[in-house]
Amino acid sequence: MTNRELVELALYSSKKLEVFEEEMGQEIGYVQNGLLLMLADDPESLADTIEMQRDVGVELGVLEAQEMKNFHPKGEMNMQGVGVGLYDKKAAYADPYKVTVGYANKARELGAQVRNGVLVTDIKVENGKVTKVITNKGEIATNLVLNIAGPWASRINEMVDVKNVPVGLMTLQHALTYPDGDYEPMTPTIIDNSIPGNLYFVRPESGGTVLIGMDKDDPNKKVDPDNYYFDPPFNTLADLFGLIIGRMPFVKNYRFQNAFGAPDAVMPDWNPAFGCPNGAPEGYFCALGFSGHGFKLAPAFGEMIAQMVRGEETKFDTGIFEIDRFEKGLALGSQQNVMG
Ligand SMILES: Cc1cc2nc3c(=O)[nH]c(=O)nc-3n(C[C@H](O)[C@H](O)[C@H](O)COP(=O)(O)OP(=O)(O)OC[C@H]3O[C@@H](n4cnc5c(N)ncnc54)[C@H](O)[C@@H]3O)c2cc1C
């Protein structure tokens, strides 16, 4: 399940990432390898969402289970429980670290100061307007503050007494593996969301490695964003890797290089939250709660953040992502388990 606005933003962002090197002068390891999403649903039940995505401009192919059996160049896949596959041949992957560095360097080139390793500890407000940011390295006078602090966004909101934005925490885990033999960078990404309660993806990574992304989270676990790295217990990993090997027997001899995880801010409806929260001081803006899919939306949201703080109309309609939608009872359809 997805919504039109999100598809438009993701498509726009993917086109910006495709020309990132040209526009920002930074190579980002962009590889357009295509992506196959496997679902348990029958194709008819997805007809509306498929039509909507095609209408927006996504070149979406629809595959039946038997057509996917020999889709993966490394070996046969077991199609048990898969009802349909959605294939986007233009989907790509890129290095998020290089993208961040590329944007930061371009901003510097255009006159911005980018300061690393500076912790915001407080925000001062006078007469209902933000006036100053206090950091561990001094104070900065300003009439504009943007809260884009991801998993730490609630802490920043509390500094200006904003308590009505329900930002939660989720975690995402990755295992970097060595395949047995060559694994071409153009090998398509497979996302398997056909097994209830489980989601994983398998895609090529640099240096001939294979990245396995896992989202089998305990929604009740307490996450400390200052101290999170990778915590799935062995039995969770054993279950999940059992499912992955069951689907793709060819991964059974792959070996771990390392495993890592990190938190992300998640909203109750798994959609980003954008704008000035109710009761916030003048000059205070938020773009937060990217709910596990902030990388693929970053170019679009980055542009819209700039437009918002300049008081301009945003390039895309952000109405549905309004930050106060939860207290207004306008939460969106869930984007849970969106990866890519
Ligand atoms: C393992 C993993 C895999 C993922 N895979 C994908 C994917 O395939 N596709 C996708 O689209 N998304 C993916 N995501 C999600 C994506 O990375 C996030 O949605 C995105 O990074 C959120 O961006 P953000 O700017 O809101 O927050 P962040 O990227 O978390 O940035 C927040 C920043 O705020 C800083 N900060 C916090 N508090 C303070 C303070 N007090 N003072 C100063 N600075 C502060 C932090 O240091 C941090 O740099 C993945 C995430 C993880 C963890």
Side-chain angles (χ1 to χ4, degrees), residues 20-34:
F20 194 93
E21 185 168 357
E22 218 173 282
E23 291 191 337
M24 300 292 150
Q26 165 76 52
E27 180 278 322
I28 57 167
Y30 180 89
V31 182
Q32 201 169 63
N33 64 328

Side-chain angles (χ1 to χ4, degrees), residues 188-241:
T189 298
I190 306 288
I191 301 184
D192 185 357
N193 196 11
S194 67
I195 306 166
N198 291 278
L199 173 76
Y200 62 85
F201 71 79
V202 178
R203 76 153 169 85
E205 184 49 275
S206 55
T209 56
V210 177
L211 192 67
I212 298 184
M214 298 164 264
D215 176 11
K216 186 170 169 43
D217 229 355
D218 169 3
N220 299 315
K221 83 176 170 193
K222 291 262 173 267
V223 180
D224 172 3
D226 296 331
N227 292 296
Y228 185 80
Y229 192 66
F230 182 83
D231 72 350
F234 278 5
N235 62 352
T236 303
L237 290 177
D239 289 350
L240 190 66
F241 276 84

Side-chain angles (χ1 to χ4, degrees), residues 97-119:
Y97 173 76
K98 289 181 175 174
V99 171
T100 309
V101 168
Y103 277 135
N105 285 342
K106 191 64 170 183
R108 282 192 183 99
E109 200 183 301
L110 295 172
Q113 284 182 36
V114 180
R115 299 191 193 169
N116 295 324
V118 179
L119 183 73

Side-chain angles (χ1 to χ4, degrees), residues 81-312:
V82 178
V84 65
L86 302 180
Y87 177 52
D88 176 2
K89 67 177 182 203
K90 294 254 176 94
Y93 62 94
D95 182 333
Y97 173 76
K98 289 181 175 174
V99 171
T100 309
V101 168
Y103 277 135
N105 285 342
K106 191 64 170 183
R108 282 192 183 99
E109 200 183 301
L110 295 172
Q113 284 182 36
V114 180
R115 299 191 193 169
N116 295 324
V118 179
L119 183 73
V120 173
T121 55
D122 203 3
I123 298 167
K124 295 293 175 202
V125 176
E126 277 172 34
N127 301 322
K129 298 177 183 174
V130 294
T131 54
K132 210 186 272 182
V133 170
I134 314 295
T135 80
N136 62 342
K137 298 204 173 145
E139 299 182 0
I140 301 167
T142 180
N143 57 4
L144 176 67
V145 172
L146 177 63
N147 179 0
I148 46 166
W152 298 269
S154 288
R155 285 188 199 166
I156 306 291
N157 278 343
E158 280 163 21
M159 293 176 191
V160 290
D161 227 16
V162 166
K163 298 194 175 109
N164 53 345
V165 182
V167 194
L169 288 173
M170 63 181 286
T171 61
L172 295 103
Q173 283 87 28
H174 280 178
L176 196 59
T177 64
Y178 293 118
D180 49 354
D182 293 341
Y183 203 97
E184 292 300 320
M186 285 296 285
T187 307
T189 298
I190 306 288
I191 301 184
D192 185 357
N193 196 11
S194 67
I195 306 166
N198 291 278
L199 173 76
Y200 62 85
F201 71 79
V202 178
R203 76 153 169 85
E205 184 49 275
S206 55
T209 56
V210 177
L211 192 67
I212 298 184
M214 298 164 264
D215 176 11
K216 186 170 169 43
D217 229 355
D218 169 3
N220 299 315
K221 83 176 170 193
K222 291 262 173 267
V223 180
D224 172 3
D226 296 331
N227 292 296
Y228 185 80
Y229 192 66
F230 182 83
D231 72 350
F234 278 5
N235 62 352
T236 303
L237 290 177
D239 289 350
L240 190 66
F241 276 84
L243 293 172
I244 298 172
I245 292 168
R247 177 75 72 217
M248 302 180 199
F250 53 87
V251 307
K252 69 178 185 298
N253 292 324
Y254 290 13
R255 288 166 297 121
F256 269 109
Q257 186 200 58
N258 68 38
F260 55 94
D264 195 10
V266 62
M267 303 311 291
D269 60 5
W270 293 67
N271 277 280
F274 188 79
C276 313
N278 195 8
E282 197 180 316
Y284 184 79
F285 300 88
C286 295
L288 48 81
F290 283 93
S291 309
H293 47 137
F295 177 59
K296 70 166 174 278
L297 300 172
F301 268 96
E303 275 186 43
M304 294 196 299
I305 287 168
Q307 289 154 352
M308 169 173 69
V309 299
R310 288 199 302 254
E312 296 168 4

